[in-house]
Amino acid sequence: MAGHWALLQLAHNEWDPAAKSARMKVLYNFGRAEELDRAAVQRLIGSLSRLLGETSRGSQVEDQAGGLPGLGFIESRPLGGAWVLDALWTRLGIAKTMRTLLSGTRRDATVERVLFALVANRALAPSSKLAAAGWVNRDVHVPGLSEVSDDACYRAMDWLLAVEPALAKDVYASTADLLNLQVDLLFFETTSTYFETETGDEPLWRDVKGNPVATTIDTTADGDGDDDGGELPSGAVKQAGFRTYGKSKDHREDLPQVVVGMAVTREGIPVRVWCWPGNTSDSALIRQVKDDMRDWNLARVVWVADRGFTSAENRRYLQRAGGGYILGEKLRSGSAEATAALGRAGRYQDVADNLRVKEVRISESERFVICHNPEAADRDALVRTALLARLTEMIKNSDKLTKTKRAELRGVISTKPGLNRYLRVTPSGLLRIDADAIAEEAKLDGKYLLRSSDPHLSAQDIALGYKQLLEVERGWRDMKQILDLRPVHHRLEDRIRAHVVLCWLALLLIRIIETTTGDTWNNLRAELQRLYVGTFTGPAGTYQQSTDLTSEQAKILAQLDITAPPRILDLATAG
């Protein structure tokens, strides 16, 4: 009948235990029957028959029908890791969001595949972008991408940075919906990453968020083209290089660095990252973070951060629009709050994870909770014992030194805060161990102070909420050790920022995988990368076939609710 045509497919039946019936699974679509190259299909059937029965891998035999050579084995590549990451990438809507953002540009749609490949590279085999291109081309099977150039990688990174705010918002919405995330608490912390270079970047005018601002070069004032006419460029607040020297959290003050911030949910899911020049202090950063996430339609959020963010200005800012905070407070700071909290009597309550808490009332507008960890107290005592032994050894013969030499020794000790804390100098200039300081320090063993603006959280919730800040620290550890945040193989500011975004996307995917399976990414990656795809070719065409799933691989896919790769991934008949 006119308008009707037959579609030819390669299929087989699979038993569905839930439905208690057989279901047909299509392996390959050959197209319309009347347009089929039957001779090519017959040759392919003959080649497959030899592969499965008459020949060994890699051998070639004569075809009984026409004397054609048999199938040849070309290569095999790991498939499992990229397959799982791509399934989550699609489920979270990242691919769809990127394609939507690309639709309004002149860029090729393959940019999305290139960016996925770079994210998969961070998660599976971290390397430079040049090496990542070679990895895609020769060492892994990335669904939908057979080849990429290093120039394509760099162009994709440049576009990624331009769309990062919109992408981050959409990714968060998809992730929160998919995982039913609790966003009543958001944890924020910063780290730094250094660069193996002798000099930092030239200072540029930057706005309050640390981004470069456009400058107008005045060539009429002195003719040198420098912007030194007195007026600041629009939006500029300071000058700074991006890679520059600052307070290093890796104890590498000798190298230029950048500062990186990350916001994480209570489940340990990283929802966004930020980058700032290396000399940016922590105190003002959380205000920018709160502003950047203001339009994300979050419910009321209590921000949890370490003691670097506990300034009065930050506390006021975090309470705007009904928000709140849980912030660490230094017990050794000598502040009025810390002194008052330590002076209040009260009984500790035992809570989970070897933790005791005691709430003390010293303010009508804020709540203060003293936390005590007995195991940490034992560690603090051991550290102090070691420091005292070292200090005792340093000063044991100092009474015999001249005043000048003793002053020099005192100067050396003063540069070591851990030792100087326990040093006492007598009126005559002699060096002694300070017994009073030891007693005061012992009172602080295993203790830390929290301040919160939330009137509804219990003292236990405040303490446990702050303790979950360790999830952010684990995120930094994974970024640096598993995803190889450094060394950063870039010198341009935009490329460095894009590199950090790629690391965040990779961490997002692996943290979801870990949360769902209850296993570590190192273990999961090792097992998944044993799932291969082999490529075979012959006169009838070329096809790719995946290896059989191991029981562990099948378990991982089931836990993640991800469909296994088809047995035949690609089949191309010879023309």
Side-chain angles (χ1 to χ4, degrees):
M1 184 180 295
H4 288 265
W5 43 269
L7 184 67
L8 191 62
Q9 297 176 320
L10 177 64
H12 78 283
N13 288 331
E14 289 184 343
W15 180 256
D16 185 342
K20 296 184 178 180
S21 63
R23 295 183 182 275
M24 187 181 73
K25 180 177 181 181
V26 176
L27 298 179
Y28 189 76
N29 287 311
F30 290 96
R32 296 173 64 169
E34 60 268 27
E35 298 175 357
L36 182 68
D37 185 347
R38 296 181 179 277
V41 174
Q42 287 175 348
R43 291 194 299 271
L44 181 60
I45 292 172
S47 297
L48 290 172
S49 298
R50 285 191 301 275
L51 174 71
L52 298 175
E54 299 175 18
T55 66
S56 60
R57 177 180 293 182
S59 66
Q60 291 191 345
V61 298
E62 291 298 310
D63 184 89
Q64 296 176 356
L68 296 174
L71 283 174
F73 172 66
I74 298 178
E75 66 174 7
S76 67
R77 298 187 185 187
L79 165 67
W83 182 266
V84 166
L85 292 168
D86 191 37
L88 284 179
W89 178 270
T90 301
R91 186 181 298 170
L92 291 174
I94 301 176
K96 181 181 179 181
T97 296
M98 285 188 174
R99 288 193 296 266
T100 300
L101 294 171
L102 281 165
S103 64
T105 71
R106 296 182 178 180
R107 295 180 182 269
D108 192 277
T110 57
V111 168
E112 178 269 326
R113 286 290 82 193
V114 174
L115 288 172
F116 167 72
L118 293 178
V119 170
N121 176 254
R122 302 318 307 171
L124 298 171
S127 58
S128 68
K129 303 307 173 289
L130 179 62
W135 177 75
V136 170
N137 297 337
R138 296 183 295 272
D139 301 324
V140 70
H141 181 89
V142 176
L145 185 68
S146 59
E147 191 173 12
V148 68
S149 68
D150 54 311
D151 284 340
C153 293
Y154 292 129
R155 289 194 298 270
M157 290 175 65
D158 294 341
W159 177 80
L160 173 65
L161 187 61
V163 301
E164 185 271 335
L167 176 66
K169 183 177 180 180
D170 280 3
V171 169
Y172 167 77
S174 299
T175 306
D177 182 61
L178 177 67
L179 301 181
N180 193 26
L181 295 180
Q182 298 183 53
V183 290
D184 54 335
L185 297 180
L186 272 180
F187 302 85
F188 178 72
E189 183 59 291
T190 63
T191 190
S192 56
T193 187
Y194 55 81
F195 296 78
E196 299 284 355
T197 181
E198 295 181 357
T199 58
D201 296 332
E202 289 294 321
L204 298 175
W205 281 110
R206 298 182 179 276
D207 61 20
V208 69
K209 294 185 176 183
N211 297 318
V213 297
T215 57
T216 302
I217 305 300
D218 183 1
T219 58
T220 62
D222 55 15
D224 62 2
D226 293 332
D227 184 20
D228 54 5
E231 277 195 27
L232 295 182
S234 177
V237 295
K238 69 174 183 178
Q239 283 186 309
F242 192 56
R243 296 179 302 170
T244 192
Y245 298 93
K247 181 175 176 55
S248 172
K249 298 193 177 183
D250 300 302
H251 309 291
R252 291 304 305 264
E253 279 79 5
D254 59 317
L255 295 174
Q257 64 175 23
V258 297
V259 174
V260 185
M262 182 162 58
V264 176
T265 69
R266 66 161 68 215
E267 295 88 355
I269 306 298
V271 293
R272 195 168 180 185
V273 291
W274 293 261
C275 265
W276 295 279
N279 61 356
T280 308
S281 63
D282 281 350
S283 59
L285 298 184
I286 199 168
R287 299 197 293 275
Q288 177 194 333
V289 171
K290 186 175 187 295
D291 285 346
D292 286 350
M293 299 182 71
R294 180 174 49 203
D295 299 327
W296 282 26
N297 297 321
L298 299 174
R300 182 179 180 276
V301 171
V302 177
W303 289 86
V304 186
D306 213 341
R307 47 200 184 192
F309 304 96
T310 193
S311 70
E313 186 176 1
N314 279 347
R315 299 198 304 272
R316 286 192 298 270
Y317 205 87
L318 292 177
Q319 290 185 84
R320 292 184 180 180
Y325 58 79
I326 299 173
L327 301 173
E329 177 83 11
K330 290 183 179 179
L331 277 173
R332 293 192 182 94
S333 66
S335 68
E337 292 92 341
T339 302
L342 287 172
R344 293 290 193 275
R347 181 175 297 178
Y348 283 99
Q349 292 179 287
D350 291 329
V351 298
D353 301 324
N354 195 38
L355 184 65
R356 305 194 304 155
V357 299
K358 177 177 68 173
E359 183 166 3
V360 294
R361 180 174 293 277
I362 57 177
S363 170
E364 294 299 324
S365 59
E366 283 185 298
R367 298 172 62 194
F368 290 82
V369 177
I370 298 178
C371 303
H372 178 245
N373 185 325
E375 288 185 358
D378 292 339
R379 290 194 298 271
D380 289 346
L382 287 174
V383 169
R384 183 171 58 255
T385 299
L387 288 172
L388 289 172
R390 183 179 172 191
L391 179 61
T392 300
E393 182 65 24
M394 291 180 71
I395 68 173
K396 68 178 182 180
N397 295 317
S398 61
D399 288 1
K400 300 177 182 179
L401 299 176
T402 64
K403 281 190 174 182
T404 301
K405 290 294 183 181
R406 198 158 50 238
E408 289 178 359
L409 176 58
R410 179 188 177 186
V412 170
I413 296 173
S414 69
T415 65
K416 306 177 187 300
L419 299 178
N420 192 57
R421 186 179 301 146
Y422 305 112
L423 180 66
R424 179 174 65 87
V425 182
T426 69
S428 59
L430 300 179
L431 306 182
R432 296 289 184 265
I433 300 294
D434 191 337
D436 291 338
I438 295 172
E440 288 301 315
E441 281 292 312
K443 295 177 182 178
L444 305 181
D445 285 352
K447 295 178 183 177
Y448 53 92
L449 177 63
L450 304 178
R451 62 196 308 162
S452 175
S453 62
D454 194 291
H456 306 294
L457 293 173
S458 67
Q460 293 92 326
D461 287 339
I462 292 173
L464 293 175
Y466 185 80
K467 191 170 184 180
Q468 284 179 289
L469 197 61
L470 295 174
E471 289 294 338
V472 188
E473 296 175 4
R474 185 165 73 97
W476 289 134
R477 186 170 63 251
D478 287 352
M479 266 211 181
K480 293 179 178 180
Q481 298 178 3
I482 297 178
L483 305 179
D484 283 2
L485 175 64
R486 63 167 177 262
V488 183
H489 302 278
H490 304 285
R491 61 180 182 83
L492 299 179
E493 178 172 338
D494 284 355
R495 297 274 170 80
I496 295 170
R497 291 179 181 271
H499 169 76
V500 173
V501 174
L502 291 173
C503 289
W504 158 60
L505 288 171
L507 183 62
L508 170 69
L509 295 178
I510 69 172
R511 192 64 82 235
I512 291 174
I513 293 171
E514 289 181 328
T515 301
T516 306
T517 62
D519 201 352
T520 67
W521 177 241
N522 279 336
N523 292 338
L524 297 165
R525 176 175 56 185
E527 183 60 44
L528 289 171
Q529 289 299 79
R530 298 186 185 105
L531 173 56
Y532 283 81
V533 57
T535 303
F536 303 85
T537 190
T542 300
Y543 80 98
Q544 294 179 318
Q545 178 176 318
S546 61
T547 56
D548 292 332
L549 292 179
T550 66
S551 59
E552 281 300 311
Q553 290 164 0
K555 176 183 176 183
I556 294 169
L557 294 177
Q559 288 174 320
L560 296 171
D561 193 24
I562 293 175
T563 304
R567 186 66 169 164
I568 305 298
L569 272 80
D570 187 41
L571 187 149
T573 57

